[in-house]
Amino acid sequence: MQGWTEGYVGGIGYIHAFYRELSPALLSFALTLRGWRPPMDSDGTFACAEIGCGHGVSSAVLAGCHPDARFEAVDFNPGHIAGAQRLAAEAGLGNAAFREESFAEYAQGGAKDLDIVTLHGVWSWVSAENRAILVDLLKRRLKPGGLVFVSYNALPGTLAYMPLRRVLVEHCADRTGPLPERIEEAVAFASRLTALNAGWFAQADALPARLDSLKRKSPNYIAHEYLNRDWTAFYHADVARELAAAKLDFAGPAVPMEQMDELSLPPDALPLLAEARDPAYRETLRDLLTNRAFRRDLFVKGAERLTPAERRDRLRATRFALLVPPGDLPEVVLAPVGRVPLPQDLHGPLAEALAAGTPTLAELSALPALARHGEEAVLRALMILTSLALAAPALPEAGQAARTLKADRFNAAILERNRRDDTLDTLASPVLGSGVAVSRLEALFLLARRNGTDPAATAWEALSEDGLALSRDGTRLDGEEANVAELRARFDRFTRLRLPTLRRLGVA
């Protein structure tokens, strides 16, 4: 963990992942809800930099559905960037640049030309010196009115897991051999310690669930999330004060649902919260009252406030899309205050309307089944659904033809990749301006439809070459005939249940 890595984990790549919270439409929706003017132009022209991009999947997907925007993705790991550059060449991403640079190297170049900077999985995992470089970068590169997304381990919620992280770090350092094996041993050892139910382990009620979650994670994820030399959890107030040096003001949570006080706090807590005059102090109190362990925050640099009329008009003009079949919406969701029912007389008609297209808030609120609830209730229902990845704000209809052409080329490259492996599982949606996750089997079905080949045969050819086979009722299927028959049945279910959603989102 020394040398050019500056204490960050080297020798093992991060997971290939798309982060939907970085999507411009979702960022714009969250800002508008809070009454800020988003920096993204309605015609789709903006410049976005993802700092610490890993394999660059998020920037690649977003570049694949925003033809008029410019993306820069920066990571100091040459293995990450080499793969991202190869994907960009295959997918025709001429509007994305993937750069192998340190924060300091990247900060030296360019003018004040960025509308959006995203820092996902960076702030808590780098040194104080590198955070200072990031602040300088934001000060010098972000335009007035620009937006910063930053996520980080938050206090006090992270306190419960800090001893666990220490065990993982020390146990890996105490062993020799390949890092993935050492990580597996460390997680198993932590489970044995937990089983003793002694000392701190007896007080850590949430630890067994956290360990069960880690057992399902890849060594790549655990290495980059837990084993860096620099690993810091922050109170929100400390992050806000560091970023103030770049002339940044807190704009609000990036997750719309976290803007709804009634889902986060008991009613008698709100007057106490209101006594805090400083916004940073108020957010820190909110975290104390909810025991939050991770934050996704939006900061703005001199952004304009919308008038109430402008905010209302922008929200009413926002289109929305359903990401799941209407019957898959839950009846109850979990929030910091507990289990929250979703009234079916509101969410049922809302899901049916969203399944029929991409209506605006104004159009939804005018429907007879929804009008009786009022526009504010419909909006709050959409805030919940978008936060849970059950729905999403969609881009304006203007420009969709150009976005579709761009996304189609990107998706062709992703689907072809799935012949060989399942590393990349996100397609670009020209409707959302964001990514849509697909399983490898779904990707192979879509590839077959695109190429006019037999879906079951195409899928079996790819799976069998990798030594894979399907299972039914927990039993592995043997031979081509049984597997192809199962694939035909699964393709039929895919066509009936999943394909309509993928078509609606423009990825099929």
Side-chain angles (χ1 to χ4, degrees):
M1 297 187 190
Q2 301 300 321
W4 63 269
T5 65
E6 299 184 23
Y8 199 84
V9 169
I12 183 170
Y14 193 52
I15 58 174
H16 290 75
F18 172 78
Y19 299 101
R20 68 183 290 268
E21 50 264 68
L22 309 187
S23 306
L26 198 55
L27 294 172
S28 180
F29 180 49
L31 276 182
T32 303
L33 285 168
R34 295 281 287 196
W36 295 97
R37 187 180 304 280
M40 299 75 95
D41 289 338
S42 59
D43 62 359
T45 59
F46 57 86
C48 178
E50 182 186 6
I51 314 298
C53 68
H55 290 281
V57 177
S58 295
S59 287
V61 172
L62 296 177
C65 47
H66 288 277
D68 297 319
R70 176 171 59 85
F71 293 85
E72 295 179 2
V74 182
D75 199 275
F76 74 154
N77 188 319
H80 290 165
I81 295 301
Q85 290 174 342
R86 183 164 58 89
L87 174 61
E90 291 176 10
L93 299 180
N95 59 331
F98 296 90
R99 301 168 60 165
E100 182 233 325
E101 294 178 345
S102 68
F103 299 151
E105 290 168 336
Y106 181 65
Q108 295 306 310
K112 194 164 284 191
D113 59 349
L114 298 173
D115 298 288
I116 308 169
V117 175
T118 61
L119 300 165
H120 185 51
V122 174
W123 197 258
S124 280
W125 294 269
V126 299
S127 65
E129 293 78 11
N130 271 306
R131 291 199 308 274
I133 292 171
L134 289 172
V135 170
D136 180 63
L137 187 158
L138 296 172
K139 185 176 181 180
R140 298 184 336 111
R141 293 291 307 277
L142 190 67
K143 290 180 183 177
L147 166 68
V148 176
F149 169 98
V150 58
S151 62
Y152 52 95
N153 285 335
L155 293 172
T158 303
L159 285 171
Y161 307 112
M162 293 176 76
L164 170 62
R165 183 227 169 216
R166 188 72 181 200
V167 169
L168 297 178
V169 169
E170 297 293 348
H171 200 84
C172 285
D174 192 53
R175 297 293 188 269
T176 58
L179 183 57
E181 293 179 8
R182 286 186 279 148
I183 290 172
E184 185 177 351
E185 291 176 9
V187 173
F189 183 75
S191 295
R192 288 161 56 199
L193 288 174
T194 303
L196 295 175
N197 199 36
W200 170 79
F201 295 93
Q203 309 300 317
D205 295 337
L207 187 58
R210 174 58 65 100
L211 279 168
D212 286 342
S213 174
L214 283 182
K215 290 173 184 177
R216 296 190 294 271
K217 301 291 187 183
S218 71
N220 307 68
Y221 172 87
I222 295 172
H224 287 260
E225 294 291 331
Y226 287 90
L227 302 187
N228 297 310
R229 181 190 65 198
D230 297 295
W231 194 94
T232 310
F234 295 93
Y235 291 107
H236 167 82
D238 293 330
V239 175
R241 286 161 190 161
E242 280 194 65
L243 291 176
K247 303 181 181 180
L248 292 168
D249 295 312
F250 177 64
V255 180
M257 193 170 166
E258 293 175 6
Q259 301 183 18
M260 303 170 69
D261 283 340
E262 70 272 21
L263 300 185
S264 301
L265 301 164
D268 53 357
L270 297 179
L272 290 173
L273 203 65
E275 291 185 27
R277 300 175 184 177
D278 177 17
Y281 176 37
R282 189 180 309 120
E283 284 299 308
T284 300
L285 288 177
R286 187 187 301 273
D287 290 346
L288 291 169
L289 290 167
T290 58
N291 198 33
R292 183 172 298 175
F294 194 75
R295 286 191 66 106
R296 301 170 180 86
D297 285 346
L298 302 180
F299 287 82
V300 291
K301 185 177 186 178
E304 299 176 82
R305 278 290 191 179
L306 298 170
T307 67
E310 286 177 315
R311 176 185 179 275
R312 181 186 64 246
D313 291 347
R314 281 175 172 266
L315 290 173
R316 298 190 79 229
T318 301
R319 300 197 302 162
F320 292 90
L322 194 65
L323 304 184
V324 296
D328 285 359
L329 291 192
E331 295 184 1
V332 176
V333 298
L334 291 178
V337 295
R339 294 167 61 86
V340 177
L342 301 184
Q344 293 307 295
D345 61 338
L346 169 60
H347 286 265
L350 178 59
E352 293 295 336
L354 291 172
T358 51
T360 64
L361 172 61
E363 291 168 340
L364 288 167
S365 301
L367 295 174
L370 297 174
R372 62 191 182 90
H373 295 281
E375 187 171 278
E376 188 63 27
V378 175
L379 174 60
R380 295 180 85 75
L382 289 166
M383 291 171 66
I384 293 174
L385 296 181
T386 57
S387 300
L388 300 175
L390 299 170
L395 295 175
E397 193 169 358
Q400 187 163 312
R403 296 196 301 269
T404 299
L405 288 174
K406 183 79 172 179
D408 190 63
R409 179 170 178 182
F410 176 84
N411 291 340
I414 296 297
L415 295 178
E416 189 61 38
R417 285 279 191 101
N418 275 267
R419 283 190 192 274
R420 305 184 294 277
D421 61 60
D422 60 354
T423 303
L424 296 174
D425 62 358
T426 305
L427 301 178
S429 167
V431 175
L432 305 177
S434 184
V436 177
V438 292
S439 68
R440 188 183 184 192
L441 202 54
E442 290 174 336
L444 291 170
F445 288 157
L446 292 172
L447 178 65
R449 292 181 74 255
R450 175 183 288 266
N451 294 339
T453 59
D454 179 78
T458 298
W460 175 242
E461 180 182 5
L463 296 177
S464 61
E465 285 182 356
D466 290 343
L468 302 175
L470 301 178
S471 296
R472 186 192 306 128
D473 300 327
T475 302
R476 179 184 170 93
L477 300 176
D478 292 325
E480 178 176 354
E481 183 177 352
N483 276 276
V484 170
E486 177 67 16
L487 284 166
R488 294 198 191 286
R490 294 193 187 189
F491 178 72
D492 178 66
R493 290 195 295 274
F494 167 77
T495 302
R496 289 184 291 105
L497 302 177
R498 177 71 166 145
L499 190 58
T501 298
L502 297 181
R503 282 176 171 158
R504 190 169 62 249
L505 301 177
V507 301

